[in-house]
Amino acid sequence: KAQYGNMPASHSAIQHYENHLYELGNSIHTSIQPYSSFEVKSIADSTLANLQINSNFATQKWLGRKLLNEHFIHIKNKDYNIIANPLLNLRLGQDNNWTEQTPYQNTRGFQLMGNVGERFTFYSDFYENQALHPKYIWDYANATQVNPGQGKYKVFNESDARDYGFANGNITYQPNQYFNFQFGHGKHFLGDGYRSLLLSDNSFNYPYFRITAEVWKIKYWVLYTKMLDVYETYSDGSFLNKYTSSHFVSFNLTKRLNFGLFETVIYGDEDGTRGLDVNFLNPVIFFRPVEFSVGSRSANALIGLNLKYKITNQLYAYGQFILDEFKFSELRAGNGWWANKYGWQLGFKSFDTFVEGLTFQTEVNWTRPYTYSHKFVLQNYAHYGQPLAHPLGANFVESITNIQYQVKRFSLSGSLMFAQQGRDNSDTNWGSDVYISYDEREQDYDNTPLQGIQTDMMYLNANLGYLINPSYNLRFEIGYTYRKFSTDIETDILKNNTTNYIFVGLVTRLNNYYYDF
């Protein structure tokens, strides 16, 4: 069967077979996403086969096959496969904060993928968008200059609507069962939770080169990227460049327990003369000693831990720990030193919870002030105006619960998020915004979690969907979103707000976009 390099990464695309990946007898390293089709496509195909509609119209008529079961175009050959599909996100809604305008999304695009022989695969997609998002998302984009996870935009038809486009793509080479090499433009996610404190798919796409090696019970992942700071430019008007080198090793200690160790380093300079630093290109080296040897201010290094424990075939617990910087003597003193920067995650997820098809997940995420920030803003742990880990940045605590019930092609899902965060006004830095230099901190000691202006967020989403075509996850959806944001002190950028948003749409869900912030 044809391989595609990466499987679609969206939560709704993997929900049909995700439970099989976490079974006790399965040794797949689930904390490294997107999943490789060389690993999981056979599992996905066997599961999605159960979703096929077997009526005469769906199996015998060209229109029925293409609409309900098959890829739109599939050219098959013993030496290659080429697949093409249309991509849509057509949505219409109503938001109480847009009193004279109607929120909408008008996305058209295409997907092209396939393989040449057994070792080479290729993938590409492109999206052209015009949209008027719900008001709180519009306000976020207006403040950050980027659509969440989807890049820069321009004004559409001299209105409040935005016009933007973006693309994904990769070429993959799998020489044998042990190694995989991929060059592409896209996103990655490390972890077994809904959020990741190590590396998430929250921010915009970036160019990368990725190496993975799997031997025995170990999978080793290496990622080199080029990222951008969209708030500063070189003399020619291009955005400032920065680079990351990341390592992640996943080890199946037992059939139940998985242990993952993460490290990354971010570096760049404002005059653009540094480029790729060969000191950080070694795929098997610890970055902290290298960072120290070339000057600790020359880069920003972070390390992290990922854990997963399979309790039963249907239930697993997971957690993460991220360490940006700390000094043991200051940590032991308990005096709130600003540079003790770390965070943690704890959660669990169950499949077929009480009844078949019901998935339940809940987790808590917490970070201290100034985590992910750096003396030089260019070297913060962020890309294209957004954090590379959690959407909230730092200095927060969050509880999020997701429930989904699935019966054949029908699904009913709900999400509930509560978060508290200590925020800043226009002239303070209490540690939530990773785009402010930590040299501008308010104090060296007595820093506490949630310091600053306390804000509270509640986000509730309910969604009823029908999967029209499982081959490329084309769905019809009806949904409702409730969001309440409250702050102790209102400022120019912090205002109390309540959102009630209802929508109906036809959407191809291949990527995750996080609006629950």
Side-chain angles (χ1 to χ4, degrees), residues 2 47 102 108 113 128 153 231 285 305 318 356 366 388:
T47 304
T102 301
R108 299 85 55 214
M113 59 185 175
E128 171 62 25
Y153 62 85
Y231 301 130
I285 197 169
L305 175 70
Y318 60 90
E356 184 178 356
W366 179 94
L388 280 166

Side-chain angles (χ1 to χ4, degrees), residues 214-421:
E214 186 168 359
V215 179
W216 188 48
K217 299 180 180 182
I218 297 173
K219 187 169 185 177
Y220 191 62
W221 176 93
V222 179
L223 184 72
Y224 304 109
T225 75
K226 175 185 176 183
M227 297 188 176
L228 299 174
D229 184 340
V230 296
Y231 301 130
E232 300 290 342
T233 61
Y234 298 117
S235 59
D236 63 0
S238 60
F239 298 132
L240 294 190
N241 297 328
K242 63 180 178 181
Y243 302 89
T244 74
S245 295
S246 305
H247 301 157
F248 183 74
V249 59
S250 174
F251 184 23
N252 288 325
L253 293 171
T254 71
K255 68 176 183 178
R256 295 180 183 271
L257 180 62
N258 173 271
F259 169 89
L261 186 62
F262 170 74
E263 65 169 349
T264 188
V265 62
I266 309 99
Y267 59 94
D269 59 3
E270 295 183 356
D271 60 12
T273 60
R274 185 176 185 183
L276 284 170
D277 192 330
V278 296
N279 290 287
F280 301 118
L281 296 184
N282 190 323
V284 284
I285 197 169
F286 289 103
F287 289 137
R288 279 291 188 186
V290 177
E291 179 204 20
F292 180 79
S293 68
V294 298
S296 60
R297 297 296 189 183
S298 68
N300 180 16
L302 299 90
I303 59 174
L305 175 70
N306 187 83
L307 289 172
K308 176 188 67 181
Y309 186 78
K310 298 178 184 179
I311 301 171
T312 69
N313 261 340
Q314 291 80 35
L315 174 66
Y316 72 91
Y318 60 90
Q320 289 185 335
F321 182 78
I322 185 69
L323 180 60
D324 188 350
E325 189 175 353
F326 86 107
K327 184 182 291 186
F328 185 73
S329 60
E330 298 283 8
L331 188 66
R332 186 174 54 183
N335 52 18
W337 189 50
W338 71 273
N340 287 332
K341 302 183 292 181
Y342 54 89
W344 55 263
Q345 174 190 86
L346 184 63
F348 70 87
K349 188 170 185 175
S350 63
F351 306 101
D352 297 329
T353 312
F354 304 119
V355 295
E356 184 178 356
L358 181 63
T359 300
F360 177 85
Q361 180 179 25
T362 187
E363 71 183 39
V364 175
N365 298 288
W366 179 94
T367 64
R368 277 188 58 84
Y370 306 107
T371 307
Y372 306 115
S373 64
H374 195 262
K375 173 184 177 69
F376 305 110
V377 174
L378 180 61
Q379 295 179 166
N380 63 359
Y381 197 53
H383 162 64
Y384 223 90
Q386 290 189 274
L388 280 166
H390 196 286
L392 293 179
N395 195 25
F396 68 86
V397 60
E398 174 199 52
S399 170
I400 188 163
T401 299
N402 297 315
I403 302 175
Q404 179 162 329
Y405 182 57
Q406 180 179 307
V407 179
K408 295 187 181 297
R409 294 195 178 197
F410 288 95
S411 64
L412 178 64
S413 61
S415 178
L416 180 62
M417 182 270 278
F418 294 99
Q420 288 187 327
Q421 186 174 31

